[in-house]
């Protein structure tokens, strides 16, 4: 009995409070639920339409009941509610159609005429009755000629309004948007400025056509390939839209996986995808068959793992990174690495762009899923890091404004393995010019003229980097230069001459001790020969004989030294430091030095008062006693054939002068004193690099407060998911794209290179950050 009484009391309480229930806020949301398959990495962006009063919704129709602001509840609460029915662009309630014709697929070659338009190409569903594949609502791509559409338009600007939302449907479009879509279908469908919603409606039809018929023969191979080609074309035309680029690439990948035999030779045509379905299948098949993971597949693995993110050089120089990675991988692992199949099975799905199509689970049999393994990735990361470092300078150059991969300066920054693969027309043009200079002017030209062939502005200072660029460019064209800092121990300067010769030094050139000794003698001899401002033919012959009569020199060494001699005879005399070094020499060394200089100075077989004065100047410049010139000439002449001379201080018999054979034999003797003497005189001084002072301070001045704050946050790590950057920008009340552009513009002003890279996720070039920080 107590139980019955209890039930009665509960019922009374329930009836009493039933009317009160509606006093609470009631929200009836008819949202169509969408979930992402875990293997689908292309997110469905939520629909966000702002409506009055300031309510963001993501549904096709949302009814909101709100309570009037009052202090007490009346008996008839229903009168106190304001009800709003809000229609969003997604799932906009379509008008009912009078068209009872069953929807059908219009083939590519079928032509239709309706609504004042002639459509010469099919590839869409047409009719009035066709449910979507998921069973909810009308097929979004279905073109219904009974639904009202605006008249054909000739305006260049394509009409659009709020009815063209995120998951657009032809049935839900406004009259104006339907007309615009039909105009597009009647065109070549190639206008890149087409609102992307129209392109998606068209694309939804392809998804349905392929997915609905994946298990039957309704779609012939010919039609299948035609659809593939059309989607590939759309991907190219509308590639600027990140969303469509991703969805269309994923669909092309699905098509290739469903009928691999049709696309064995077309896999490279498929744009890079986010799903990486093909990669995972390829990797799983390779491992399951006991085959090695090759370099290209290993690189794909790196690109599709969560364990590693490719850095800026790898992304900016994608092709070069791929080539270098394959070279370094082969050096380390040969034909590839073997991976043991794991127990986890591969499960993959395709998630459609259309909200009217279910996802597709791929039948993969019993394949393993090695893509989740971490061990192999740990072996690949060091190779990727090495390649990144080798391409860092090349990448930084390409990051600067107005630069190109075809620039000679860029080619010279490539690792030699890649540079050797480049057949640049610029290199060929340079080589043709260089050979012309060699044949017509003994290879003599100016540094400024040479530099014009690098395609870069003339630098303010000529330091190690510029010297290396000149040497590398010449080497690439198989041309030698003199001076070459590596072998001649002299640096080029902007106002200098330079001498070209062919063939060049070659990759394996190593100067011998004889080469080094003769080069020192040439420097001293050229100093003597140019002391009077002109070079006598006999003096030049004497110095050339010094090179060509030395049997210890190889042919390539003789070519190099003859070019070096030409440069020395056409370069300003530099006596810096020589005087101080000569003062430290002993008497025998000084006498040898005089003997050598006089043998060159008197090589023309005559001597007069003016030439004696020039020798006196040379003595003085070297810290030697000029009053000894006449007696030294007498002493030298008395030991050899007489020299013809006229001087107020001396009278020497006229005769022909012969070059001192002892000098020619200098390098054949074991005269270590002579060798050490020359080396001590001409020891190479390391010249300080000329500093180019930047015109702007390298700091964060010039960035407004919110952008500066964003920049300081971003440089904390190398990569950021775009969603996180969006959240940071929202807090600062700035737009993502505008902020990235502002920061990169500032970086260009500072170091002539961008610091941020927008590739879906946001990447920070930490090397540029260091340059900006100074």
């Amino acid at each position: 009995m107590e139980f019955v009484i209890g039930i009665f009391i509960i019922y009374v309480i329930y009836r009493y409070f039933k009317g009160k229930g509606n006093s609470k806020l009631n929200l009836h949301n008819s949202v169509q639920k969408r979930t992402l398959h875990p293997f689908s990495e292309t997110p469905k962006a939520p629909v966000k339409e702002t409506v009055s009063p300031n309510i963001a919704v993501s549904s096709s129709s949302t009814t909101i009941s709100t309570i009037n602001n009052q202090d007490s509840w009346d008996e008839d609460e229903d009168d106190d509610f304001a009800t709003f029915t809000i229609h969003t662009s997604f799932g906009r309630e379509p008008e009912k159609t009078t068209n009872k014709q069953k929807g059908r697929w219009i083939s590519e070659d079928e032509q239709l005429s309706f609504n004042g338009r002639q459509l010469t190409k099919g590839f869409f569903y047409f009719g009035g009755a066709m449910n979507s594949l998921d069973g909810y609502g009308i097929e979004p791509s279905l073109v219904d000629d009974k639904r009202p559409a605006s008249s054909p338009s000739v305006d260049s600007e394509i009409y659009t309004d709020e009815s063209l939302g995120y998951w657009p449907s032809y049935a839900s479009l406004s009259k104006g948007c339907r007309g615009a879509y039909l105009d597009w279908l009647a065109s070549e469908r190639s206008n890149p400025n087409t609102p992307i919603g129209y392109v998606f409606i068209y694309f939804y039809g392809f998804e349905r056509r392929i997915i609905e018929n994946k298990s039957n023969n309704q779609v012939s191979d010919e039609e299948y390939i035609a659809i593939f080609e059309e989607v590939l074309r759309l991907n190219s035309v509308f590639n600027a839209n990140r969303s469509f680029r991703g969805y269309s690439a994923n669909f092309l990948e699905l098509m290739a996986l469903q009928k691999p035999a049709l696309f064995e030779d077309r896999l490279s045509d498929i744009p890079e995808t986010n799903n990486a379905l093909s990669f995972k299948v390829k990797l799983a098949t390779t491992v399951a068959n006991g085959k090695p993971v090759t370099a290209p597949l290993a690189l794909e693995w790196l690109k599709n793992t969560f364990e590693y993110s490719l850095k800026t050089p790898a992304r900016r120089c994608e092709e070069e990174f791929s080539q270098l990675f394959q070279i370094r991988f082969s050096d380390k692992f040969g034909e590839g690495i073997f991976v043991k199949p794991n127990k986890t099975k591969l499960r993959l799905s395709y998630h459609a762009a259309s909200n009217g199509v279910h996802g597709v689970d791929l039948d993969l049999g019993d394949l393993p899923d090695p893509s989740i393994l971490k061990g192999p990735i740990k072996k690949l990361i060091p190779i990727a890091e090495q390649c990144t470092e080798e391409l860092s300078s090349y990448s930084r150059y390409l990051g600067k404004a107005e630069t190109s991969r075809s620039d000679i300066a860029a080619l010279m920054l490539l690792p030699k393995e890649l540079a050797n693969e480049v057949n640049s027309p610029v290199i060929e043009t340079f080589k043709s010019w260089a050979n012309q200079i060699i044949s017509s002017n003994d290879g003599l030209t100016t540094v400024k003229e040479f530099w014009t062939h690098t395609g870069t502005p003339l630098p303010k200072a000529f330091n190690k980097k510029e010297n290396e660029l000149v040497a590398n460019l010449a080497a690439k064209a198989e041309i030698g230069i003199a001076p070459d800092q590596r072998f001649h121990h002299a640096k080029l300067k902007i106002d200098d001459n330079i001498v070209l010769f062919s063939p060049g030094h070659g990759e394996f050139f190593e100067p011998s001790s004889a080469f080094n000794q003769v080069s020192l003698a040439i420097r001293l001899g050229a100093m003597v020969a140019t002391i009077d401002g002109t070079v006598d033919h006999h003096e030049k012959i004497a110095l050339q004989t010094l090179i060509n009569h030395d049997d210890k020199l190889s042919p390539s060494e003789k070519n190099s030294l003859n070019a070096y001699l030409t440069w020395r005879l056409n370069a300003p005399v530099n006596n810096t430091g020589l005087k101080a070094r000569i003062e430290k020499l002993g008497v025998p060394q000084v006498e040898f030095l005089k003997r050598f200089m006089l043998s060159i100075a008197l090589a023309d077989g005559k001597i007069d008062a003016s030439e004696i004065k020039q020798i006196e100047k040379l003595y003085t410049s070297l810290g030697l006693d000029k009053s000894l010139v006449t007696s030294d000439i007498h002493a030298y002449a008395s030991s050899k054939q007489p020299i013809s001379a006229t001087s107020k201080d001396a009278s020497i018999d006229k005769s022909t002068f012969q070059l001192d054979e002892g000098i020619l034999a200098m390098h054949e003797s074991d005269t270590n004193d002579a060798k050490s003497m020359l080396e001590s005189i001409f020891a190479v001084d390391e010249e300080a690099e000329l500093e180019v002072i930047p015109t702007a301070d390298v700091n964060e001045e010039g960035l407004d407060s919110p952008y500066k704050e964003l920049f300081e946050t971003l440089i904390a790590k190398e990569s950021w998911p775009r969603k996180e950057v969006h959240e940071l920008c929202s807090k600062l009340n700035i737009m993502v794209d505008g902020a990235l552009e502002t920061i990169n513009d500032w970086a260009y002003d500072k170091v002539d290179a961008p610091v941020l890279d927008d590739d879906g996720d946001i990447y920070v070039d930490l090397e540029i950050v260091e340059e900006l920080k100074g």
Side-chain angles (χ1 to χ4, degrees):
M1 184 67 180
E2 290 84 1
F3 176 78
V4 173
I5 294 172
I7 293 296
F8 177 77
I9 292 172
I10 292 172
Y11 176 76
V12 170
I13 294 173
Y14 166 75
R15 294 292 298 174
Y16 177 79
F17 285 102
K18 182 176 185 297
K20 299 292 184 179
N22 289 336
S23 64
K24 298 179 181 180
L25 180 65
N26 296 303
L27 178 64
H28 307 286
N29 193 336
S30 60
V31 180
Q32 182 181 3
K33 300 292 185 181
R34 310 264 314 167
T35 58
L36 285 176
H37 192 281
F39 285 102
S40 176
E41 299 177 16
T42 305
K44 302 285 189 182
V47 180
K48 294 184 179 178
E49 294 293 333
T50 302
V51 295
S52 179
N54 296 325
I55 302 172
V57 299
S58 57
S59 64
S60 58
S61 177
T62 303
T63 303
I64 302 176
S65 299
T66 60
I67 305 167
N68 289 332
N69 186 14
Q70 57 184 38
D71 295 331
S72 62
W73 298 97
D74 295 332
E75 287 293 322
D76 188 5
E77 289 92 358
D78 288 346
D79 292 338
D80 299 322
F81 290 94
T83 301
F84 303 91
T85 299
I86 303 166
H87 295 283
T88 70
S89 58
F90 160 51
R92 180 178 180 270
E93 191 68 29
E95 306 93 340
K96 291 184 177 180
T97 181
T98 60
N99 192 348
K100 303 303 181 182
Q101 180 184 2
K102 185 178 179 180
R104 66 184 183 89
W105 176 252
I106 305 301
S107 63
E108 179 182 12
D109 298 329
E110 187 174 349
Q111 300 185 15
L112 292 179
S113 179
F114 62 94
N115 289 100
R117 297 167 177 87
Q118 178 69 31
L119 275 64
T120 59
K121 176 177 161 182
F123 274 157
F124 58 88
Y125 284 99
F126 181 76
M130 176 179 274
N131 288 333
S132 61
L133 284 184
D134 63 6
Y136 295 97
I138 302 170
E139 164 58 39
S141 69
L142 181 66
V143 175
D144 185 348
D145 61 326
K146 301 301 182 184
R147 294 186 183 276
S150 60
S151 300
S153 173
V154 293
D155 291 343
S156 58
E157 185 173 348
I158 303 173
Y159 177 81
T160 183
D161 59 33
E162 68 277 1
S163 68
L164 190 67
Y166 185 78
W167 272 306
S169 167
Y170 182 84
S172 299
L173 295 180
S174 66
K175 179 179 178 180
C177 281
R178 286 197 198 109
Y181 179 60
L182 294 178
D183 286 339
W184 185 73
L185 286 181
S187 71
E188 294 181 355
R189 308 174 192 177
S190 299
N191 183 352
N193 297 319
T194 303
I196 202 64
Y198 296 134
V199 184
F200 265 110
I201 293 175
Y202 182 52
F203 176 69
Y204 295 161
F206 293 126
E207 285 191 313
R208 177 176 182 134
R209 180 67 174 165
I210 295 301
I211 292 173
E212 182 180 24
N213 298 292
K214 65 184 178 69
S215 301
N216 57 43
N217 296 320
Q218 291 296 312
V219 180
S220 66
D221 288 349
E222 182 181 2
E223 181 187 353
Y224 200 92
I225 293 173
I227 290 176
F228 181 92
E229 296 290 355
E230 178 66 357
V231 175
L232 186 62
R233 183 188 70 83
L234 293 173
N235 179 276
S236 175
V237 174
F238 302 100
N239 195 263
N241 184 275
R242 184 183 292 113
S243 179
F244 184 76
R245 182 173 69 238
Y247 278 118
S248 57
N250 291 342
F251 182 65
L252 290 169
E253 184 178 48
L254 172 71
M255 292 187 70
L257 285 173
Q258 286 190 165
K259 292 194 174 185
L262 294 180
F263 301 100
E264 287 180 346
D265 300 327
R266 300 292 305 278
L267 294 180
S268 60
D269 294 341
I270 300 176
E272 190 169 316
T273 69
N274 292 323
N275 281 341
L277 303 181
S278 295
F279 154 70
K280 290 178 180 179
V281 172
K282 188 191 308 180
L283 178 64
T285 303
T286 299
V287 171
N289 292 336
K291 295 181 178 179
V293 175
T294 60
L297 187 56
L299 181 55
E300 282 191 72
W301 200 343
L302 274 175
K303 290 179 178 180
N304 291 286
T305 180
F306 291 107
E307 301 298 320
Y308 183 72
S309 294
L310 295 177
K311 295 181 172 59
T312 299
R315 289 178 285 103
R316 181 182 290 149
C317 318
E318 184 175 5
E319 181 179 349
E320 294 86 351
F321 182 86
S322 176
Q323 293 174 351
L324 188 60
F325 181 87
Q326 294 190 44
I327 293 171
R328 298 290 177 255
F329 178 92
S330 298
D331 292 343
K332 179 77 173 177
F333 299 112
E335 294 299 318
I337 55 177
F338 288 90
V339 178
K340 184 178 179 181
N342 55 335
K343 295 181 180 180
T344 304
K345 302 306 176 184
L346 185 61
R347 298 289 181 266
L348 298 179
S349 293
Y350 169 81
H351 196 67
S354 171
N355 68 337
V357 177
H358 284 303
V360 179
D361 293 328
L362 277 70
D363 183 7
L364 302 171
D366 201 34
L367 286 176
D369 186 8
S371 67
I372 64 174
L373 299 176
K374 296 182 180 180
I377 287 296
K378 291 181 179 179
K379 296 179 180 180
L380 301 178
I381 290 176
I383 299 177
E385 290 292 297
Q386 179 186 354
C387 296
T388 298
E389 178 61 28
E390 291 185 67
L391 288 171
S392 59
S393 297
Y394 178 73
S395 172
R396 283 196 298 273
Y397 177 85
L398 293 182
K400 296 179 180 180
E402 299 180 358
T403 58
S404 167
R405 282 174 164 76
S406 61
D407 293 347
I408 288 184
L411 298 177
M412 296 305 103
L413 294 173
L414 281 172
K416 65 179 182 179
E417 294 94 337
L418 301 187
N420 291 339
E421 297 297 322
V422 178
N423 294 316
S424 168
V426 183
I427 296 289
E428 293 303 315
T429 300
F430 166 78
K431 187 172 184 178
S432 176
W433 167 81
N435 286 327
Q436 189 271 329
I437 291 293
I438 293 171
S439 62
S440 65
N441 201 36
D442 292 332
L444 182 65
T445 186
T446 65
V447 171
K448 289 180 179 178
E449 175 66 17
F450 185 106
W451 192 264
T452 61
H453 292 270
T454 67
T456 59
L458 190 67
K460 295 180 181 179
F462 225 73
N463 292 321
K464 181 180 179 181
K465 180 177 67 175
E466 287 75 22
N467 274 272
E468 288 179 348
L469 174 58
V470 168
N472 290 339
L473 170 56
K476 179 62 181 173
E478 300 178 337
I479 299 293
I481 62 167
D484 188 318
Q485 187 177 351
R486 299 168 296 176
F487 313 126
H488 302 135
H489 306 293
K491 295 180 181 180
L492 290 168
K493 296 179 181 178
I494 291 178
D495 296 321
D496 276 357
N497 289 320
I498 185 173
V499 177
L500 313 180
F501 63 96
S502 180
H505 290 104
E507 183 179 356
F508 304 105
F509 181 82
E510 288 289 341
S512 64
S513 58
F515 178 93
N516 293 326
Q517 292 171 32
V518 173
S519 66
L520 295 174
I522 285 173
R523 181 176 177 185
L524 179 58
M527 191 181 300
V528 176
T530 58
I531 193 64
D532 58 356
T534 60
V535 179
D536 185 86
H537 176 68
H538 294 87
E539 293 172 335
K540 183 177 180 180
I541 292 296
L543 290 171
Q544 288 174 336
T545 303
L546 196 63
I547 299 169
N548 297 328
H549 283 196
D550 194 324
D551 294 334
K552 292 185 177 180
L553 296 173
S554 68
S556 59
E557 286 180 319
K558 290 180 179 181
N559 286 341
S560 178
L561 288 171
N562 275 302
Y564 177 61
L565 171 61
T566 301
W567 177 73
R568 277 294 179 190
L569 295 177
N570 290 275
V573 175
N574 181 9
N575 295 339
T576 304
L578 294 185
K579 185 175 181 180
R581 292 190 183 109
I582 290 174
E583 288 177 352
K584 298 178 182 180
L585 298 179
V587 173
Q589 294 169 321
V590 171
E591 290 303 315
F592 174 85
L593 180 62
K594 291 178 181 180
R595 182 185 179 90
F596 181 82
M597 290 191 299
L598 291 176
S599 72
I600 300 299
L602 307 179
D604 55 2
K606 61 180 181 179
I607 187 169
D608 55 25
S610 62
E611 192 159 12
I612 290 177
K613 287 183 178 180
Q614 295 299 330
I615 297 174
E616 289 175 347
K617 289 181 181 179
L618 177 60
Y619 267 47
T620 301
S621 68
L622 296 177
L624 302 174
D625 187 352
K626 70 175 183 178
S627 65
L628 299 177
V629 169
T630 303
S631 60
D632 287 342
I633 292 175
H634 276 288
Y636 180 80
S638 63
S639 63
K640 301 296 172 186
Q641 294 185 14
I643 301 171
S644 95
T646 55
S647 170
K648 60 180 179 180
D649 298 319
S651 178
I652 305 175
D653 295 336
K654 295 180 180 182
S655 182
T656 9
F657 170 76
Q658 298 294 326
L659 181 67
D660 188 352
E661 294 297 330
I663 296 296
L664 293 179
M666 172 179 63
H667 307 290
E668 299 174 8
S669 69
D670 294 328
T671 316
N672 292 325
D673 288 343
K675 174 186 173 183
S676 61
M677 181 271 300
L678 287 173
E679 291 178 344
S680 65
I681 293 176
F682 294 113
V684 179
D685 289 327
E686 288 296 330
E687 300 179 28
E689 296 282 314
L690 297 178
E691 182 179 3
V692 180
I693 301 175
T695 55
D697 295 332
V698 185
N699 52 41
E700 293 169 24
E701 292 181 5
L703 276 179
D704 291 337
S705 180
Y707 302 108
K708 179 179 179 181
E709 184 175 342
L710 176 63
F711 174 71
E712 290 174 344
T713 302
L714 293 179
I715 62 178
K717 59 183 182 179
E718 189 171 21
S719 65
W720 291 80
R722 191 176 184 86
K723 180 181 178 182
E724 291 185 21
V725 177
H726 184 274
E727 292 172 355
L728 291 173
C729 290
S730 296
K731 293 177 182 179
L732 297 171
N733 294 319
I734 54 180
M735 302 296 290
V736 175
D737 291 341
L740 300 182
E741 184 177 355
T742 298
I743 292 174
N744 276 337
D745 286 346
W746 165 76
Y748 269 118
D749 290 340
K750 297 295 184 183
V751 297
D752 200 25
V755 68
L756 303 177
D757 186 10
D758 183 1
D759 190 24
D761 290 341
I762 308 303
Y763 295 88
V764 182
D765 192 329
L766 297 180
E767 292 184 351
I768 299 298
V769 170
E770 292 304 313
E771 289 189 40
L772 289 166
K773 285 186 170 183

